[in-house]
Amino acid sequence: MLCMRKKKLALVLSGGGFKGAFQVGALEYLLYNPVQIEDEVIDIQKFDIISGVSVGSLNGALVATNQMEALKDIWFNQIINSGPDVIYVSKYLENGRPSTKKIISDLIPDLNTYQKFGVFFSDKKREEFLQKIIDNFLDLEGFADNTPLLNILEKYIHLNKFEEVIYKMGFVSLRDGRYKSVSHSQMPDNNELRKAIIASSTIPVIWPPIPSIKTIDGDNFFDNVDGGIRNVSPLKDVIDEINKSPADERDYYIIVINCSNNLLPPIDPEPSLLEIASRSMLDITFAEIFKNDLDQFLWINDMLSAQNLKQLKIRNKVYRRYKIKIIQPEKSIGDTLDARPEIINASRKHGYEMAEKVTKIGDWNV
C-alpha cells in the first residue's frame, strides 16, 4: 500500500565533478518511484534537509527548489549536446581533458635556438626562464572560467524558491583552510547565495577562488573554494541540523548519494602534469575522505546497534544511532573532469540502478 509521506528525510550529496550524473540518475529513481522505507512504501516528493558540496551543492540546490526536470535538462540535454561549455569555458581543457599543447604554447616561453643555448649554458638565463614560467602560471587565475555556471544559477536559483526545506552548502576558505557550511536562509540575497554555490564547486587551480561571501549573520568568508577538499560527504552538516530539532523530532531517514568509489578508471600511459594533479587531488583524495567519513559514522552506528542503544554519552559528547542508506557506484565509469556524453549517460544509468538496488534492502544502516 502506497502511503503519503510522513517520514522525515535528509539527503546528503557528495562532491565529484561530472560524476554528479550518477547522483541525478539515483535521484531520478528516488523521486519518480515508490520507495520502501522500513514498514511503509512512500512516494518521495521532497526532502526536509539537503546538504551538498561541490557538484552535490549544485544538484542539491535544484532538488531543494523542486526543479528536478530542470536538473535533468541541464545534465542530459545541455551537457550531453554542448559538453562542459555549459558549465565552464577553457582553451586548456577539452571535454575535461587537459590540452598539453595549448598549456605549453601559452604558459611556457617559446625560445629560438640562440635562447635555448643560453638557458642550457647560463645559470642566469636558466633562472630567468624558470621565473618566466612561474610568472605565467601565477598570472593565470585558473584553467577555466565558470561564468556559464553562474548563468545557470541566475536562471534557476532564487531564494524564494526554497520552501519548507533546509538546504546547506559547504566550501573551504583559503585564508584559514577551514570548512564552512552555510544554509540558504543565511544568505542575504540571491547574489550571495549563488556565490556560495559557485564557491562550493570551485576546484582549486581549475577555477579561481570566490573572493568573498557574506551572510546575514555578519560573517565574511574570503578566497573560497571547493568544500570537497575537506568534507567530500557533508554528512555532519545534516547530523548537526537533525540534532538542532526537538528530541521527539529527530527520527530522520538519511540518504547519502556518493559519486565516487575507490575504483578509478585507468589513466593515460603518459599523463600530463594537470592529469596527475587531477587524479591525486580530486579522484583519489575525494574517495578517501568520503570513505573515512562514512567508515567512522557506520562504526558508531554499528556499535550502538550491537548494544541496542539509540544513543550513548561519552564524557560530554552524545553519540546517536541514525537510519541511513548509502548509494554509491559499484564500478568506475569516469573521472572527475570527464564530460564525454557516453560517460555522462553511463553514470546516470548506474546511479538509477544502484538507487533501486539499495532501497530494496530493508536494513537502514547500509
Side-chain angles (χ1 to χ4, degrees):
M1 178 180 177
L2 187 66
C3 299
M4 296 298 290
R5 187 178 74 88
K6 296 177 183 178
K7 300 183 184 298
K8 292 190 174 185
L9 301 173
L11 177 66
V12 178
L13 298 172
S14 78
F18 285 101
K19 294 179 183 180
F22 176 90
Q23 283 179 353
V24 185
L27 287 164
E28 281 186 279
Y29 180 81
L30 295 173
L31 294 173
Y32 296 129
N33 293 278
V35 175
Q36 179 83 34
I37 298 186
E38 291 193 330
D39 58 333
E40 288 183 306
V41 177
I42 72 168
D43 191 359
I44 299 176
Q45 297 177 353
K46 64 187 295 292
F47 294 90
D48 300 283
I49 304 172
I50 298 175
S51 181
V53 292
S54 195
V55 71
S57 69
L58 303 174
N59 290 340
L62 282 134
V63 174
T65 52
N66 299 309
Q67 298 184 87
M68 185 64 190
E69 289 302 312
L71 181 62
K72 288 165 57 182
D73 178 68
I74 292 167
W75 276 96
F76 309 126
N77 181 18
Q78 297 180 45
I79 294 177
I80 288 292
N81 292 325
S82 302
D85 286 358
V86 173
I87 305 298
Y88 66 82
V89 289
S90 173
K91 61 181 178 179
Y92 300 117
L93 299 172
E94 297 175 354
N95 249 349
R97 302 286 186 178
S99 173
T100 304
K101 184 182 294 185
K102 290 179 181 177
I103 292 172
I104 290 174
S105 65
D106 276 19
L107 302 179
I108 298 179
D110 187 19
L111 305 179
N112 59 36
T113 302
Y114 175 77
Q115 291 169 324
K116 288 177 182 176
F117 271 103
V119 169
F120 186 78
F121 289 106
S122 167
D123 289 341
K124 182 179 179 182
K125 292 292 184 183
R126 184 159 50 249
E127 199 172 296
E128 290 173 353
F129 175 70
L130 293 174
Q131 186 60 52
K132 182 64 176 175
I133 294 175
I134 292 170
D135 290 342
N136 286 344
F137 272 91
L138 290 176
D139 289 340
L140 183 70
E141 290 187 341
F143 282 93
D145 175 9
N146 54 11
T147 299
L149 175 57
L150 180 59
N151 294 335
I152 288 176
L153 296 180
E154 288 175 347
K155 179 178 180 179
Y156 293 107
I157 302 303
H158 306 270
L159 281 169
N160 60 11
K161 290 187 177 182
F162 292 86
E163 298 179 359
E164 298 181 345
V165 64
I166 298 171
Y167 164 70
K168 304 193 75 172
M169 68 225 92
F171 48 85
V172 170
S173 170
L174 294 180
R175 293 285 181 95
D176 58 18
R178 294 181 180 178
Y179 176 79
K180 318 289 183 179
S181 177
V182 295
S183 71
H184 72 279
S185 60
Q186 291 176 271
M187 297 292 101
D189 53 46
N190 290 322
N191 183 50
E192 295 300 319
L193 170 64
R194 293 164 189 155
K195 282 163 59 179
I197 296 172
I198 288 281
S200 183
S201 60
T202 295
I203 299 171
V205 181
I206 306 298
W207 293 280
I210 303 302
S212 69
I213 298 169
K214 297 178 182 178
T215 72
I216 60 175
D217 304 319
D219 296 319
N220 197 355
F221 305 118
F222 297 98
D223 299 328
N224 306 289
V225 296
D226 197 331
I229 295 172
R230 290 290 301 270
N231 195 17
V232 74
S233 169
L235 182 56
K236 183 178 182 299
D237 296 341
V238 162
I239 298 300
D240 288 345
E241 286 299 325
I242 292 174
N243 289 339
K244 289 179 185 178
S245 307
D248 59 347
E249 295 181 15
R250 294 177 184 166
D251 191 23
Y252 274 80
Y253 293 81
I254 304 171
I255 297 176
V256 178
I257 308 179
N258 173 33
C259 300
S260 305
N261 58 22
N262 291 324
L263 303 172
L264 299 175
I267 197 168
D268 292 339
E270 297 182 359
S272 69
L273 183 62
L274 191 57
E275 286 174 314
I276 293 170
S278 169
R279 172 57 60 101
S280 60
M281 182 177 71
L282 304 181
D283 297 319
I284 296 175
T285 304
F286 278 19
E288 284 303 311
I289 293 172
F290 176 84
K291 183 178 183 299
N292 292 339
D293 283 353
L294 266 287
D295 283 351
Q296 183 179 22
F297 178 86
L298 293 176
W299 180 82
I300 294 170
N301 249 22
D302 289 342
M303 179 184 68
L304 293 174
S305 180
Q307 300 297 321
N308 198 26
L309 297 172
K310 288 189 175 181
Q311 66 180 50
L312 177 65
K313 186 173 183 179
I314 301 177
R315 294 178 182 169
N316 291 322
K317 193 166 185 178
V318 176
Y319 296 91
R320 294 187 175 87
R321 185 168 41 152
Y322 297 91
K323 299 168 183 175
I324 186 170
K325 287 279 188 185
I326 302 170
I327 301 169
Q328 58 187 340
E330 281 188 335
K331 57 186 177 182
S332 178
I333 294 176
D335 59 34
T336 301
L337 297 177
D338 196 340
R340 289 174 293 173
E342 63 270 25
I343 298 298
I344 298 290
N345 281 324
S347 295
R348 174 192 193 178
K349 182 174 182 291
H350 191 42
Y352 188 97
E353 293 169 344
M354 291 308 300
E356 182 178 19
K357 177 180 178 179
V358 169
T359 53
K360 287 185 176 178
I361 300 172
D363 183 12
W364 270 81
N365 189 22
V366 294

